[in-house]
Amino acid sequence: MMIEKLNRAEILRYLGYRDSGVTEPIERLLSRCEKETLEIIQPKYIYRRFEIERCPEGIRVSGTPLVLEGKDIQEHLKNCREIFLLGVTAGMELDKRIRRYMVTEPDAGVVMDSCGIQAVEQIADLAEKELEQAAAAKGCHLTWRFSPGYGDLPLETQRELVRVLDTHRKIGVSLTESCLMVPGKSVTAILGISDTKRDHRENKCDFCNHRERCTFRKRGTRC
């Protein structure tokens, strides 16, 4: 899997810049950090397809102990009988570089962190394209990615999700006691498989626990 270029506009958005506010020094730092990010990322992803069934607790992932709790995920998967569980990482080397720069060169650390956020999103996008092809082969469509911590889907769902995917062994991703992912530039997601077309809502803000205090929304953008 190759990523040849990061989305510069998205990186700037994470940093709180608008195109018109980018100075020449910032441009040089962005170019340097993007180049380093692309050199050291170790893109990996894993996914599995499951049938789901409704139960009093929420949505049970068949053949596993995983139960998806909350009204938001039930609404998200209301037209689905199957799902993909997805795990994605940009690798540990990126985490190490970001930590080093945060100590030795904080400006570069902040920019590298934003590059890492965008890198893992683009890795997830590549994985999603593969899942779309698999769904389309059976005449189905995918929902957008819904991750533990969105809406009222508990972040603790992450624990069972990574066990089911065996992310530690397959792609090197584990969890801390507080459910933070290691490496940090990693994500998990649930994608519904539906007979109906993708939900065309522009963003996930309606499901976000940080909606009222989101810095992106204050700037008139989204994450």
Side-chain angles (χ1 to χ4, degrees):
M1 183 199 325
M2 293 291 293
I3 297 177
E4 296 181 355
K5 186 177 181 180
L6 298 179
N7 187 320
R8 178 69 62 85
E10 288 297 295
I11 295 169
L12 288 170
R13 195 164 58 82
Y14 297 140
L15 291 168
Y17 281 92
R18 299 186 185 277
D19 291 340
S20 59
V22 178
T23 63
E24 186 175 334
I26 292 295
E27 178 64 32
R28 287 198 301 269
L29 185 57
L30 279 166
S31 296
R32 170 191 149 193
C33 289
E34 179 182 0
K35 182 175 183 293
E36 285 189 44
T37 298
L38 292 171
E39 288 173 348
I40 64 177
I41 57 173
Q42 302 157 304
K44 294 179 183 177
Y45 62 83
I46 182 173
Y47 59 85
R48 293 182 63 188
R49 186 171 185 158
F50 294 92
E51 293 182 354
I52 55 175
E53 55 190 38
R54 272 66 184 174
C55 65
E57 297 83 7
I59 295 176
R60 184 175 301 281
V61 180
S62 299
T64 81
L66 179 58
V67 176
L68 306 176
E69 301 177 359
K71 294 181 179 178
D72 294 329
I73 190 66
Q74 292 187 61
E75 174 67 20
H76 187 65
L77 300 176
K78 65 181 179 181
N79 296 319
C80 304
R81 296 187 297 271
E82 293 181 287
I83 61 171
F84 283 113
L85 298 182
L86 172 66
V88 176
T89 186
M92 188 61 77
E93 288 304 313
L94 181 59
D95 273 22
K96 293 178 181 177
R97 187 70 57 90
I98 292 169
R99 286 198 297 269
R100 190 179 84 196
Y101 279 155
M102 286 297 188
V103 174
T104 64
E105 199 177 345
D107 287 350
V110 170
V111 175
M112 283 287 287
D113 187 68
S114 294
C115 288
I117 293 170
Q118 183 56 31
V120 77
E121 282 297 308
Q122 289 182 216
I123 298 166
D125 288 343
L126 289 174
E128 187 173 330
K129 289 185 188 307
E130 190 171 318
L131 301 186
E132 285 178 342
Q133 292 173 358
K138 294 193 173 183
C140 297
H141 306 272
L142 292 185
T143 65
W144 44 264
R145 302 192 294 266
F146 199 109
S147 295
Y150 285 169
D152 59 0
L153 178 65
L155 183 61
E156 290 74 18
T157 306
Q158 201 84 278
R159 293 195 181 101
E160 202 58 54
L161 199 159
V162 300
R163 288 194 195 101
V164 169
L165 286 176
D166 195 11
T167 59
H168 180 68
R169 189 167 65 89
K170 297 292 181 60
I171 60 173
V173 173
S174 56
L175 290 182
T176 67
E177 289 186 2
S178 56
C179 292
L180 296 178
M181 305 190 81
V182 180
K185 296 300 178 281
S186 305
V187 297
T188 60
I190 301 150
L191 297 94
I193 304 169
S194 172
D195 294 334
T196 60
K197 289 187 177 181
R198 177 189 293 268
D199 185 340
H200 288 288
R201 282 173 291 186
E202 293 183 358
N203 60 58
K204 308 166 190 175
C205 293
D206 290 342
F207 294 97
C208 183
N209 290 326
H210 302 287
R211 175 181 173 84
E212 299 306 321
R213 56 185 183 276
C214 176
T215 56
F216 290 113
R217 293 184 72 242
K218 288 177 182 178
R219 295 199 301 264
T221 64
R222 60 184 176 85
C223 68

